[in-house]
Amino acid sequence: MQLFKAQRATASSIAALLMSTGAMLSPALADAGSKPIPEGHAPAGVMVDHMHKAGEFMVGYRYSYSRMAGDTLTGTDTAPEHDILHDACQNPKVAGHEHCMMKQSKMTMQMHMLDLMYAPTNWLTFMVMPQWMTMDMTMSPVEDPMHMGEGGEHGMHMGSHAHGTDGFGDTTFGALIQLSDGPGYHLHTGLMFSAPTGSTSEKGSSGALTHYMMQLGSGTWDFLPSLTYTGRADRFSWGGQVSGIIRMEDENNRGYALGNVFQATAWGSYRLTDWLSASLRVLHTKQGEITGTLDHTGTGMSPPDLPSNYGGRFWDVGFGLNMVVPEGALKGHRLSVEWAEPVRDDVNGFQQERDGTLYVNWSKAF
Ligand SMILES: [Cu+2]
């Protein structure tokens, strides 16, 4: 209780400070336009969620941190080590019996994205989003108790090791087009494209190309269509979005293409104060397998080396907070955070379980 009161006191004194600073520095700003509301943007993990008014610019920064850890799954179940060893590295396109000697024990992916928006008119908003990716993976040996003492047959035992990649990712750009807008609702479509500016030539310590999921880009030109609906009444707001990633080429310059992606999400949010709203979101993602294979190899040492061990059907629940400075010198600065908690994984082939994704998003419109 004490803590709660203290937080409230701190929050109101910060708000009072911001207001008084704003009043001193720029009295004119207080009258400029209507007050921004925190739920004016969707939860942090939703992209291409809003448009801008004619003549407005927006500068934003999006950060996401995703982690995979724990068991290796096949479908929705934990895969026995024996199955990982014998089945996860089988490529039906390649003859012979290959074993997975290693498996993924942890993977993290961080994305830093610059989010630039400009609206020449009310019904059209342009966007450009360059990205920087950082990926790290830890691998450990597959230990099959049924094959203890047969180490020789399955080759040398390697110890655990870590490897990582980082650099520019793909660049997303395109336009959002308003389809309908009225009191309390808005509907727009996104026609975005992804240019293959991210590397697909990242190599591991052996000098061979590293896993598909550690490459910094898709390597293909992609089309990212979306449809977004948002509604609002008093302190409540809600929204829904369907979106996709469609690979516009059969293969990239490495001879493969990532699977197409379909996503559907819906959220509701409630404004707690004039600067803070809380949101709850459900998310479903469906992704296809990789088609083709990396030029250099038909198979691999670990599950992420196989095209059939990619994609699946995933469900998440997102818990978010949106903040905006409603008045004063920092008026219009937005900060939102969201945690997406996986509730169900149904993976193609063999893949490690997901731990969740943190989204942080800052923006300011001018
Ligand atoms: Cu914007």
Side-chain angles (χ1 to χ4, degrees):
M1 262 327 222
Q2 284 290 5
L3 185 67
F4 184 62
K5 274 181 191 163
Q7 279 176 341
R8 281 183 65 120
T10 314
S12 48
S13 51
I14 288 173
L17 182 68
L18 290 175
M19 278 179 218
S20 55
T21 327
M24 280 188 293
L25 293 178
S26 54
L29 262 185
D31 307 316
S34 56
K35 261 190 175 182
I37 51 174
E39 71 276 26
H41 285 191
V46 184
M47 304 227 257
V48 298
D49 62 296
H50 67 272
M51 295 184 61
H52 284 274
K53 294 221 155 54
E56 250 177 30
F57 281 100
M58 190 195 83
V59 179
Y61 163 72
R62 287 176 179 270
Y63 170 78
S64 74
Y65 171 89
S66 337
R67 192 169 64 179
M68 300 168 93
D71 293 339
T72 298
L73 304 176
T74 180
T76 56
D77 303 323
T78 298
E81 294 282 285
H82 177 269
D83 293 6
I84 301 172
L85 181 70
H86 289 277
D87 302 334
C89 287
Q90 287 301 320
N91 187 340
K93 292 172 195 153
V94 175
H97 188 76
E98 291 289 340
H99 290 101
C100 271
M101 243 78 77
M102 304 294 286
K103 64 175 182 178
Q104 179 185 330
S105 51
K106 187 184 170 191
M107 158 135 191
T108 61
M109 185 179 91
Q110 296 179 76
M111 184 197 73
H112 303 268
M113 181 188 260
L114 188 62
D115 185 358
L116 303 172
M117 303 179 77
Y118 170 67
T121 72
N122 279 335
W123 60 267
L124 180 67
T125 296
F126 290 116
M127 296 184 77
V128 182
M129 297 183 282
Q131 304 166 40
W132 181 270
M133 312 292 295
T134 304
M135 288 182 271
D136 289 288
M137 186 184 280
T138 312
M139 316 220 50
S140 58
V142 176
E143 308 281 4
D144 181 11
M146 288 173 71
H147 287 76
M148 280 303 187
E150 289 182 46
E153 188 205 324
H154 292 128
M156 66 292 164
H157 260 186
M158 294 172 78
S160 294
H161 69 278
H163 57 287
T165 54
D166 59 84
F168 279 106
D170 291 338
T171 305
T172 308
F173 65 94
L176 307 184
I177 297 159
Q178 180 180 298
L179 299 176
S180 182
D181 187 51
Y185 75 94
H186 177 90
L187 179 69
H188 69 258
T189 184
L191 302 173
M192 304 288 291
F193 296 88
S194 173
T197 50
S199 160
T200 49
S201 311
E202 298 300 306
K203 295 185 171 70
S205 53
S206 67
L209 290 171
T210 189
H211 323 294
Y212 301 94
M213 68 197 298
M214 298 287 285
Q215 300 296 337
L216 303 170
S218 70
T220 48
W221 282 86
D222 303 329
F223 176 45
L224 285 66
S226 63
L227 190 65
T228 308
Y229 174 85
T230 54
R232 169 176 314 147
D234 192 27
R235 284 169 173 262
F236 288 98
S237 70
W238 53 88
Q241 183 184 74
V242 286
S243 61
I245 305 177
I246 296 162
R247 316 293 167 187
M248 295 193 294
E249 297 170 275
D250 291 337
E251 56 180 52
N252 57 25
N253 58 4
R254 293 292 171 186
Y256 70 93
L258 298 178
N260 290 339
V261 179
F262 169 78
Q263 264 192 348
T265 185
W267 64 93
S269 82
Y270 180 74
R271 193 192 321 141
L272 300 164
T273 74
D274 61 348
W275 60 272
L276 178 70
S277 66
S279 64
L280 189 64
R281 181 162 78 96
V282 289
L283 169 66
H284 174 59
T285 308
K286 195 174 157 184
Q287 178 161 18
E289 289 180 4
I290 290 174
T291 51
T293 48
L294 278 172
D295 277 346
H296 74 297
T297 176
T299 182
M301 284 276 291
S302 64
D305 288 327
L306 272 285
S308 51
N309 295 329
Y310 282 83
R313 293 141 300 278
F314 307 93
W315 288 262
D316 300 81
V317 175
F319 305 92
L321 288 174
N322 281 20
M323 288 156 272
V324 68
V325 182
E327 291 176 290
L330 296 177
K331 179 179 174 178
H333 281 265
R334 293 179 176 278
L335 183 68
S336 55
V337 292
E338 187 181 31
W339 173 258
E341 177 70 23
V343 289
R344 188 178 157 90
D345 293 340
D346 179 4
V347 304
N348 293 335
F350 292 79
Q351 297 176 41
Q352 196 175 27
E353 200 173 344
R354 300 170 310 140
D355 246 10
T357 304
L358 172 74
Y359 297 97
V360 180
N361 186 2
W362 167 85
S363 71
K364 171 76 173 84
F366 300 91

